[in-house]
Amino acid sequence: MTQEIGGFAALGLHSNILAALTAVGYEEPSPIQSQAIPVILSGQDMIGQAQTGTGKTAAFALPILSKIDPAKREPQALILAPTRELALQVATAFETYSKQMPGLNVVAVYGGAPMGPQLKAIRQGAQVIVATPGRLVDHLRRDEKVLSTIQYLVLDEADEMLKLGFMDDLEVIFEAMPESRQSVLFSATLPHSIRAIAEKHLREPQHIKIAAKTQTVSRIEQAHLMIHADQKTNAVLRLLEVEEFDALIAFVRTKQATLDLAAALEAKGFKAAALNGDIAQNQRERVIESLKDGRLDIVVATDVAARGIDVPRITHVFNVDMPYDPESYVHRIGRTGRAGRDGRALLLVTPRERRMLQVIERVTGQKVGEVKLPNAQQVLDARIKKLTNSLAPLVADAEASHGDLLDRLTADIGCSPRALAAALLKKATNGQALDLASVEREQPLVPGVGGAPRERRERDGERSGEPRERRAPMPLAEGRARCRTALGARDGIAAKNLLGAILNEGGLAREAIGRIQIRESFSLVELPEEGLERLLGKLKDTRVAGKPLKLRRYRED
Ligand code: ADP
Ligand code: MG
C-alpha cells in the first residue's frame, strides 16, 4: 500500500530503488534503515551499530545505489565483507535492489574462484564491487588502480573482519582509494580496534546505534526453535500438528512470505489467510473479522499489516521470521494473552540470528527456552488425540440414532461391526496417516540446526558433503557403525531391500545388521564395526532397485 511504501519514500531514495522495493515486498524500513539511509544519502561518514538480522545490507545498499551514476562505467562503490558467503549475499542484495537500474553491474570478488573473470568484470565497468579483503588485495597487487575511482566504501561486519585477521589488508585497501570518498562502517560490536580504524580512516563519522529498551511481557509463555531458513514452512506445519491453538497469528517479513505461508497452510487444510500492506483496508478488516468469529484460524501477517489487531481468540503467536528489534518482538507477542488470558509465543531462530535471541532475552529480562520439533510419534499422538476428541462426544447418543443403520449396513455388506467401524474411520480421516511408519514417511525431513543437510539442497546436488542426520541421533550399540547410502524412499527402497542386498552380497548373519532407517533421500544402516572396511569393499558394486548402493561410513559430528 502506498501509505506504507511511504515509509521508504520519505527517506529520499531514488524512485528506481523504491520501485524495486515494492517488487521485493518490503513494507517499511527497519530501525537501522530509517536512521542510516538519510545519513548515507547526505554524504556523511557513519558508524552503524546493530545486531545481525536488523537489515543492515539494505541500510547501506539502498542509499548507495540511489547515489551511483549507472551511466559512468567505473567502480564507484566498494563493499567489504568478511567471508565469501557474506560477500555473495550482499552482491545478490545489490542486484535485487538495482533491478530497475539498467546499466548497473555488480561484481563479487572473493577467494577460491579464478581472478581473471573478476578483474574483467571490474574493468568492464561494474559500478559496485563486493569483496573479501584478502582477494581484493591480490587484485591490487596486479593492478593498483582498480580502486582509484571509488566514492563510497562500506565495511560490513567490521568486527568479524578484524577477527579474521584482515587488519593489514584493510590498511592496503584504504590506501588505494581516493581520500575524498565517503566511508561507512557497520559492526555489531565496537571494540577498541574498530574505533581505532574509524578514528584513522573515517571523517567525523555520525554514530548510529540501535539501542534496545527494556520491555515487559507477562502471561505469555515463550519458546524458541532453532531451524534453517529453508525448513521454516515444514517446521510450522509440524508444530501446528501438536500445538493446541484456538487462533494463531504468524509473523513474516515480506508480503510474498505472507502469501507463500498462507498458501502452504491452506493446502494442508488450515483456515488461513495472508495479511499484508498490499491488501486494501476493507479487505484487511474482513480478514480480522473472520479471525474473530472463527471463519479463519490463522493469519500470516507482516508487522505493518498486523498493527492494532486485537482478537481475544488468539492463543498463539508464531514469529516465523525474526523481528528487527526487541520492541517489535514484544509488540508482536502482545497480540496474544489479550484480556488477561494466557498466550504462547514461539520464535523460529536461524543459526545466524542467535545473537538477536540473546538480545531479546536481555531486553525482556526473560529466558526464551528452546523447544525441539515434534517427532513422528508426537505428531501421531496428537492426531489420535484429535480424532478421539472429535468422536468421544458422539458416542453417547449415536447408537440410538444410528444403531439400526449400523445393523442394516453390516448385514448388507456382510461384515463385522469392527470392519465397518474401521471403514468409517478410514473415511472420516480422509486417508490421513495414523500409524507411525506412515507419519514418518509423510513428514518431510526437517533436520535440526547444526549442519544437517537440507534435503532440497542435497537433491539439487548443491552440496556434496555427507549429511548429518540430527533428528535421530540414536545411540549406537557397542561395536556398531552407522553407514549411509544415498538411496531412500524416493528411490523406491524399503528396509527389506537393503537388508536383502547386504545379507546376500556381504555374507553377513541377520543378527549382525542393526537398525535400518529409510529417509526420503537417503538411508542409514547399522553394521558391525569390526571388518567394516572389508564389508564395504565387498558391497562396492552392489546395486539395489537398479541403482548403485554406494554404502559409506556415516560420520555424525
Ligand atoms: P543484517 O545484515 O543486519 O544481518 P540483512 O541485511 O541480511 O541483516 O537482512 C536480514 C533479512 O531481512 C533479509 O532477508 C532481508 O531481505 C530482510 N529485510 C531487510 N530489510 C527489510 C525490510 N525493510 N522489510 C522486510 N524485510 C527486510
Ligand atoms: Mg549483514
Side-chain angles (χ1 to χ4, degrees), residues 276-459:
N276 63 51
D278 267 357
I279 295 171
Q281 185 59 32
N282 57 352
Q283 172 64 18
R284 271 199 244 182
E285 279 158 17
R286 242 176 286 147
V287 168
I288 294 167
E289 276 314 306
S290 304
L291 189 65
K292 274 192 184 147
D293 64 25
R295 273 172 297 160
L296 283 175
D297 292 328
I298 304 180
V299 164
V300 186
T302 54
D303 290 290
V304 171
R307 220 161 260 164
I309 290 188
D310 186 359
V311 178
R313 265 188 81 218
I314 297 176
T315 51
H316 283 62
V317 170
F318 275 17
N319 293 283
V320 178
D321 289 336
M322 187 62 99
Y324 295 116
D325 49 34
E327 284 91 334
S328 102
Y329 173 77
V330 171
H331 200 255
R332 283 178 177 190
I333 70 174
R335 301 302 102 205
T336 184
R338 307 298 269 194
R341 303 184 200 199
D342 291 332
R344 182 161 156 79
L346 199 87
L347 177 66
L348 302 194
V349 182
T350 64
R352 59 190 289 271
E353 293 169 337
R354 279 204 173 101
R355 269 204 246 158
M356 185 55 128
L357 172 65
Q358 288 162 10
V359 175
I360 287 174
E361 290 184 326
R362 202 181 62 230
V363 166
T364 58
Q366 291 188 17
K367 184 109 187 80
V368 180
E370 183 170 10
V371 291
K372 297 279 178 205
L373 267 188
N375 60 27
Q377 184 66 55
Q378 288 164 313
V379 169
L380 177 63
D381 291 346
R383 286 185 183 175
I384 291 178
K385 186 170 169 198
K386 263 183 216 147
L387 187 59
T388 310
N389 289 346
S390 69
L391 292 176
L394 304 178
V395 170
D397 37 48
E399 197 174 345
S401 60
H402 289 69
D404 291 344
L405 181 60
L406 180 85
D407 291 341
R408 159 104 199 246
L409 289 178
T410 47
D412 286 359
I413 301 171
C415 67
S416 67
R418 185 170 193 264
L420 185 61
L424 289 170
L425 278 178
K426 192 168 172 184
K427 198 162 177 189
T429 54
N430 247 331
Q432 197 185 35
L434 283 164
D435 62 79
L436 196 55
S438 325
V439 174
E440 259 168 5
R441 222 176 305 121
E442 160 206 280
Q443 298 279 333
L445 176 70
V446 183
V449 162
R454 258 74 61 87
E455 257 218 319
R456 185 169 51 72
R457 290 216 178 160
E458 205 192 4
R459 203 171 297 155

Side-chain angles (χ1 to χ4, degrees), residues 57 156-157 352:
T57 316
D156 191 17
E157 308 215 5
R352 59 190 289 271

